[in-house]
Amino acid sequence: MIIPIVAYGDPVLRKKAKEIPQDYPNLKELIDNMWESMYGAYGVGLAAPQVGLPIRIFMIDTSPFSEDIELSEDEQKELAGLKKVFINPKILEETGDEWAFNEGCLSIPEVREDVFRKPEIKIEYFDEDFNKHTEEYKGLAARVIQHEYDHIEGILFTDKLSSLKKRLIKGKLSNISKGKIQIDYRMKFPELKKGR
Ligand code: ZN
């Protein structure tokens, strides 16, 4: 079942999400629905707050990036096979010199901006069977994880822009929260008046 993606402006996107217990009700169904919602919107990542739930789960599937011809063959291969659910994750380390990448977000359609992040991370998390893992990621894989991790911390990529950039996109963000955009996937808008 596709769950509408929560749009910019909804307070759920600003909450620090809570950890979940292993017996969280209908977890498998939620994860299935989140995959369906993510693929339905052509996303490479989705976090639970984006479907209205302030809990610490996100998922990524970086395979669309594996066709990027500017990446090395090794990196293409890594991105092709990277499909994972992260439950109760903790980023333990972020290292290296910050690099810019043009990011977008399913909750903020039609806005894309360069965001600076560190290139290497170490993360601890539980998979959908609640097995614990500690792994290291770099480059685009790390980038997608960092973006989704920010969601469960209540942070959006637009928070990381310069004040000038923020001013320039203010009108666009306001339109998104009011539902004044054209999109081809289901969304829920916080300020959309009923009956419109
Ligand atoms: Zn996002």
Side-chain angles (χ1 to χ4, degrees), residues 30-66:
L30 171 65
I31 290 170
D32 287 347
N33 289 342
M34 283 179 69
W35 281 125
E36 204 183 328
S37 308
M38 185 186 99
Y39 291 128
Y42 305 102
V44 293
L46 184 71
Q50 294 181 281
V51 293
L53 296 170
I55 54 173
R56 298 180 81 81
I57 303 182
F58 65 78
M59 56 211 5
I60 65 164
D61 181 349
T62 58
S63 48
F65 287 130
S66 68

Side-chain angles (χ1 to χ4, degrees), residues 50 104-107 147-148 151 156-157:
Q50 294 181 281
C105 180
L106 293 181
S107 295
H147 177 112
E148 298 310 325
H151 274 300
L156 301 170
F157 82 90

Side-chain angles (χ1 to χ4, degrees), residues 112-137:
R112 296 200 69 92
E113 294 292 343
D114 280 355
V115 176
F116 285 85
R117 297 185 192 271
K118 289 183 176 173
E120 287 152 34
I121 62 162
K122 191 191 222 181
I123 187 168
E124 179 188 279
Y125 67 96
F126 295 85
D127 60 28
E128 56 258 72
D129 300 314
F130 267 79
N131 298 308
K132 195 176 186 178
H133 303 268
T134 304
E135 289 164 353
E136 286 174 33
Y137 291 95

Side-chain angles (χ1 to χ4, degrees), residues 59-123:
M59 56 211 5
I60 65 164
D61 181 349
T62 58
S63 48
F65 287 130
S66 68
E67 280 146 40
D68 188 333
I69 48 161
E70 284 176 26
L71 298 172
S72 71
E73 242 176 79
D74 278 355
E75 201 167 1
Q76 283 180 352
K77 240 186 177 167
E78 192 195 345
L79 293 166
L82 188 56
K83 176 182 171 177
K84 267 182 192 179
V85 178
F86 296 77
I87 298 174
N88 299 341
K90 252 183 224 144
I91 289 185
L92 304 173
E93 274 175 35
E94 287 184 289
T95 47
D97 295 328
E98 291 195 339
W99 66 296
F101 182 78
N102 202 248
E103 293 190 21
C105 180
L106 293 181
S107 295
I108 316 174
E110 293 175 348
V111 176
R112 296 200 69 92
E113 294 292 343
D114 280 355
V115 176
F116 285 85
R117 297 185 192 271
K118 289 183 176 173
E120 287 152 34
I121 62 162
K122 191 191 222 181
I123 187 168

